[in-house]
Amino acid sequence: MGISRGWRRLLFFLPLILIPLLLSVSELHQNSNLKDLGKNHHKKFDHLFLGPATGQGLPNRLQCQGLKALNKTHFTTSSLTFNFTDNISFVTVFAIYNISLFAHADDKSSAMVTVGNTSYTKAGRSMAILNVFINFVQVSMPRSNIIILSDPASELPIHRNNVSVLPIEGDYSRGRLMLQRIKSYIAFLETRYKEHSKTNNHSNHYIFTDSDVAVVDDLGYIFHHYPNFHLAVTFRNNKDQPLNSGFIAVRGTPDGILKAKRFLQEVLEVYSSKYMKASRMLGDQLALAWVVKSHPSFDAKRFTRPEAFLHEIHGALVLFLPCAVYNWTPPEGAGQFHGMPLDVKVVHFKGSRKRLMLESWNNFNSSSSDFSDMLCLVLKSGRTKYDF
């Protein structure tokens, strides 16, 4: 009987003994998961991670249901009364150096990346980005030309209609590429200024962009809606870096080309004297902001309002265009809570967003969707780091 009562007591107290033990094991397992999550937090994914679209319910923002747009972006069309004797050329700086586009998979330097059904080496994916940039321009503005400024030593296998490669001597190494970009722009404008007399008085406007942008609307609108500027840059509400150098438009008149060249020479001088420590990245944007903000009559508070405005800087009439429309960047992490404006014209896939640029084009090209639907893919992605 004593033994029986002892077992009963043990069975009664056994749950009270086991519960803390089970809780400890549970906590240990939970802590282990948190550690694993921490390890993978900064891991770059090899696929897009889609989340809720930002800007839901906000007026004048793209609204999506899945990857379908519920409202359409406010695209202009060629039916607008543009002066079609004015041509537009896109100009970008790009260099690649004697690197096999088909490196062996066991070569660690090749860093193979797969997007859809295609695998790319480091050089191959750079070329893929350049070709997608060309694709977007040729869909949005089929009458425009594309000029690629590159090192004469760089081998670019580009054979596309209305696309040309213009070699310009310089230092295109990675650490000096942003500095060289401004130098190449200045050299290009110098040649165009000298050759302008041969264009039969027809203006050829220029839009200088990074090669990781998607043009999703006809940008000829800028030159007709704002007839007085010499060059245009894009701005955002950012105290330290209010200007982004990934988009610069230049009016193709002799005065516009000359004033734009002189303006960029000012930027280059400031870059070379003040920001060489940031020559690999951001130096050009810091120099651009310094040239603008140091002008005595300029009010930097205008950067806080997303409205285009015109201001004279060192003799050049500079048009300031909001990044939200002319240089919109997909969110990453917390991202932009206000969504995508319906009148967005340029999407900039800067930084680690290159995969998204390729997948966006694949989505547009492989389905019957229009730009509005494709932009839903862009808007719903970007909640994590990508792989390039």
Side-chain angles (χ1 to χ4, degrees):
M1 288 291 292
I3 295 174
S4 178
R5 283 196 297 270
W7 275 108
R8 289 194 185 112
R9 289 194 191 98
L10 179 62
L11 291 173
F12 177 79
F13 288 107
L14 186 60
L16 300 178
I17 297 171
L18 288 176
I19 287 174
L21 179 62
L22 291 172
L23 287 175
S24 298
V25 172
S26 176
E27 289 173 0
L28 179 64
H29 181 66
Q30 184 177 16
N31 290 338
S32 176
N33 287 341
L34 289 174
K35 287 180 181 178
D36 290 341
L37 183 62
K39 290 179 182 177
N40 294 328
H41 181 68
H42 298 293
K43 180 180 178 182
K44 292 185 178 182
F45 289 82
D46 61 357
H47 59 278
L48 295 184
F49 183 82
L50 301 181
T54 53
Q56 289 184 351
L58 294 179
N60 202 32
R61 292 296 186 271
L62 183 65
Q63 305 297 316
C64 302
Q65 186 173 46
L67 296 182
K68 284 291 183 181
L70 298 179
N71 51 0
K72 298 298 182 181
T73 45
H74 299 161
F75 294 137
T76 58
T77 66
S78 58
S79 63
L80 293 177
T81 56
F82 289 170
N83 178 7
F84 288 108
T85 60
D86 292 355
N87 299 316
I88 294 177
S89 293
F90 286 84
V91 184
T92 191
V93 170
F94 188 90
I96 193 168
Y97 302 96
N98 301 323
I99 302 174
S100 173
L101 300 182
F102 307 100
H104 295 296
D106 58 355
D107 180 3
K108 293 182 180 179
S109 65
S110 65
M112 299 293 289
V113 173
T114 300
V115 179
N117 297 320
T118 307
S119 294
Y120 300 100
T121 62
K122 184 175 181 180
R125 70 195 190 203
S126 294
M127 288 301 304
I129 293 294
L130 180 62
N131 275 293
V132 167
F133 162 72
I134 294 170
N135 292 344
F136 275 115
V137 170
Q138 292 186 338
V139 169
S140 301
M141 301 177 64
R143 298 178 62 256
S144 62
N145 299 309
I146 298 169
I147 302 168
I148 303 169
L149 310 183
S150 187
D151 190 332
S154 183
E155 298 179 358
L156 297 183
I158 294 290
H159 306 285
R160 304 282 299 270
N161 292 332
N162 300 324
V163 179
S164 59
V165 178
L166 179 61
I168 294 180
E169 293 286 350
D171 183 357
Y172 291 79
S173 61
R174 186 174 181 84
R176 297 287 180 131
L177 188 57
M178 295 298 97
L179 184 68
Q180 181 58 46
R181 180 171 67 173
I182 297 180
K183 292 180 178 180
S184 296
Y185 287 173
I186 292 170
F188 174 81
L189 290 173
E190 178 67 29
T191 60
R192 287 302 182 265
Y193 181 72
K194 292 178 180 178
E195 296 172 357
H196 191 272
S197 60
K198 303 175 183 178
T199 60
N200 298 321
N201 295 322
H202 291 172
S203 294
N204 194 117
H205 307 303
Y206 302 102
I207 298 177
F208 297 85
T209 75
D210 291 348
S211 59
D212 56 356
V213 305
V215 179
V216 295
D217 197 6
D218 192 333
L219 297 176
Y221 168 85
I222 299 172
F223 299 96
H224 295 268
H225 189 71
Y226 305 101
N228 298 319
F229 74 91
H230 294 125
L231 76 155
V233 295
T234 56
F235 73 93
R236 59 205 169 194
N237 186 16
N238 184 310
K239 182 179 179 180
D240 297 322
Q241 299 170 37
L243 299 172
N244 185 275
S245 57
F247 181 100
I248 300 174
V250 174
R251 188 173 298 281
T253 60
D255 197 38
I257 294 172
L258 183 61
K259 295 290 179 61
K261 181 177 80 79
R262 289 174 177 171
F263 179 88
L264 290 178
Q265 285 173 328
E266 292 268 356
V267 175
L268 179 61
E269 289 177 11
V270 172
Y271 194 161
S272 301
S273 62
K274 293 180 177 294
Y275 299 110
M276 284 304 294
K277 290 184 178 179
S279 61
R280 180 167 180 170
M281 288 185 65
L282 303 180
D284 56 336
Q285 300 190 51
L286 295 172
L288 181 60
W290 193 94
V291 169
V292 171
K293 292 169 69 176
S294 64
H295 196 272
S297 64
F298 188 81
D299 182 6
K301 290 181 180 178
R302 302 196 73 171
F303 291 146
T304 64
R305 299 185 293 272
E307 300 169 355
F309 64 96
L310 192 69
H311 197 89
E312 183 176 345
I313 307 289
H314 298 298
L317 286 174
V318 182
L319 173 65
F320 294 88
L321 298 168
C323 281
V325 176
Y326 295 94
N327 204 342
W328 188 85
T329 300
E332 186 178 68
Q336 302 179 22
F337 295 104
H338 298 299
M340 182 185 292
L342 282 175
D343 53 352
V344 66
K345 299 181 186 301
V346 177
V347 179
H348 194 169
F349 297 91
K350 59 188 175 184
S352 60
R353 300 162 178 85
K354 305 297 187 288
R355 166 180 287 277
L356 178 55
M357 182 175 180
L358 295 183
E359 298 220 22
S360 297
W361 172 256
N362 290 342
N363 172 269
F364 174 78
N365 193 45
S366 64
S367 67
S368 58
S369 64
D370 57 15
F371 274 144
S372 296
D373 292 338
M374 183 211 73
L375 291 175
C376 280
L377 174 67
V378 176
L379 186 61
K380 289 171 69 65
S381 66
R383 297 309 190 276
T384 187
K385 293 281 186 181
Y386 305 120
D387 64 337
F388 5 133

